[in-house]
Amino acid sequence: MTPVAPASLSPRRAVPASIERPEYVDRPAPARYTGAEVKDAETIERMRVAGRLAAQAREEVGRHVVPGVTTDELDRIGHEFLCDHGAYPSTLGYRGFPKSLCSSVNEVVCHGIPDSRVVEDGDIVNIDITAYLHGVHGDTNATFLAGDVDEESRLLVERTREALERGIKAVRPGRRINIIGRVIESYAARFGYGVVREFTGHGIGTSFHSGLIVPHYDDPAHDTLIEPGMTFTIEPMLNLGTHEWTMWDDGWTVVTQDLRRSAQFEHTLLVTATGAEVLTNP
């Protein structure tokens, strides 16, 4: 298959003035988060609403992942869905990102910028979309199959979804955050998949990225205690080949070093007394 290459970008999409913007929009970087990782009941309830809307947007865009569509058209669908429901697309203007979702095709690991590239039969396409609503973020992604996808790629996608589910099941108060990566890495190793290390899950709430890091491999240095009321994402990126990657000149698009395919799934989670509640189900 032909490697994914940069294509042309459409103009920035407008957001109605009535929709609340995150503080970081069009600034070089977001303000540093200084709050707690454990959220209060009122913040959690707002996050449930934002998370559900993000999941609905993810599924709406996913329905349109078919051969012949451009990734820019997928961005338009996600942008309009969020705006129509009163939410701001969190990626738009985040550290200069120019679009309302990330579309990562085939060997693109993450942060692909929607453009004029046409989705081809057999592609796998990750849609990563975040809703900012009532002052909080809900962040989610999924990898969708376009047309007739080969079995190796299809299994990679299925197993990456399973890796996320196993990571979620590992969440328990009293455990350390690195249990999540240990479970994901050991599962991926069964199939010889590379587990991307430098891009991680993260704390989330009023801040898009709070500073809490959730690795998808076993890193003993990340030993934060898991507590009820914490909210964070788990979003493993599994590759058919090496875990190593390179970045395009756009400063965003990450591709596997060997140009073999990569898949990813993500949920925003709330730690409960007994495990985790997924906040990004539709």
Side-chain angles (χ1 to χ4, degrees):
M1 276 204 159
T2 309
V4 177
S8 58
L9 296 186
S10 64
R12 177 165 168 164
R13 294 190 160 87
V15 176
S18 58
I19 292 177
E20 180 190 2
R21 275 102 167 120
E23 55 78 24
Y24 56 71
V25 173
D26 293 330
R27 294 183 180 176
R32 186 169 170 273
Y33 178 69
T34 56
E37 298 296 346
V38 173
K39 310 303 191 299
D40 60 47
E42 189 267 341
T43 302
I44 289 166
E45 197 47 51
R46 285 187 283 141
M47 289 187 69
R48 285 193 177 101
V49 176
R52 190 177 309 119
L53 183 64
Q56 291 166 353
R58 177 195 71 217
E59 295 307 300
E60 178 63 22
V61 177
R63 277 192 281 277
H64 294 83
V65 175
V66 293
V69 72
T70 64
T71 54
D72 186 65
E73 172 66 6
L74 297 174
D75 181 75
R76 183 194 66 77
I77 291 164
H79 177 91
E80 291 184 0
F81 185 91
L82 290 179
C83 290
D84 287 349
H85 289 83
Y88 187 91
S90 298
T91 59
L92 187 63
Y94 177 79
R95 295 182 181 271
F97 193 83
K99 293 293 174 182
S100 298
L101 54 79
C102 301
S103 56
S104 301
V105 179
N106 297 342
E107 72 270 16
V108 180
V109 174
C110 59
H111 303 158
I113 300 173
D115 59 22
S116 62
R117 183 192 182 277
V118 175
V119 173
E120 298 176 1
D121 185 52
D123 282 350
I124 62 173
V125 183
N126 181 271
I127 299 298
D128 191 340
I129 191 162
T130 307
Y132 181 73
L133 184 64
H134 306 315
V136 295
H137 301 268
D139 188 5
T140 184
N141 76 55
T143 302
F144 298 93
L145 309 180
D148 185 20
V149 174
D150 69 87
E151 185 179 21
E152 184 181 47
S153 300
R154 188 177 51 75
L155 285 172
L156 173 70
V157 171
E158 286 179 10
R159 290 164 176 167
T160 305
R161 184 191 287 112
E162 174 65 16
L164 170 60
E165 294 301 327
R166 288 174 182 238
I168 292 169
K169 287 192 178 86
V171 175
R172 292 276 189 284
R175 290 180 171 178
R176 301 287 172 175
I177 210 92
N178 64 329
I179 184 71
I180 297 165
R182 190 178 313 148
V183 165
I184 290 170
E185 186 176 43
S186 64
Y187 177 70
R190 292 190 201 176
F191 313 105
Y193 295 154
V195 181
V196 175
R197 295 172 166 236
E198 292 82 3
F199 299 93
T200 67
H202 53 88
I204 188 169
T206 56
S207 174
F208 195 176
H209 300 90
S210 71
L212 174 70
I213 293 172
V214 183
H216 304 116
Y217 67 104
D218 188 7
D219 184 351
H222 290 282
D223 61 352
T224 304
L225 186 69
I226 298 173
E227 301 176 67
M230 291 173 84
T231 51
F232 53 79
T233 72
I234 303 177
E235 46 186 298
M237 289 143 268
L238 305 188
N239 303 344
L240 285 175
T242 180
H243 67 89
E244 301 285 356
W245 51 271
T246 55
M247 188 179 284
W248 285 1
D249 292 343
D250 61 23
W252 284 105
T253 308
V254 175
V255 297
T256 57
Q257 206 168 79
D258 57 9
L259 299 182
R260 297 191 72 195
R261 289 183 167 190
S262 180
Q264 184 185 17
F265 285 85
E266 173 186 20
H267 277 309
T268 296
L269 308 172
L270 164 69
V271 181
T272 67
T274 56
E277 175 189 340
V278 175
L279 301 182
T280 42
N281 281 332

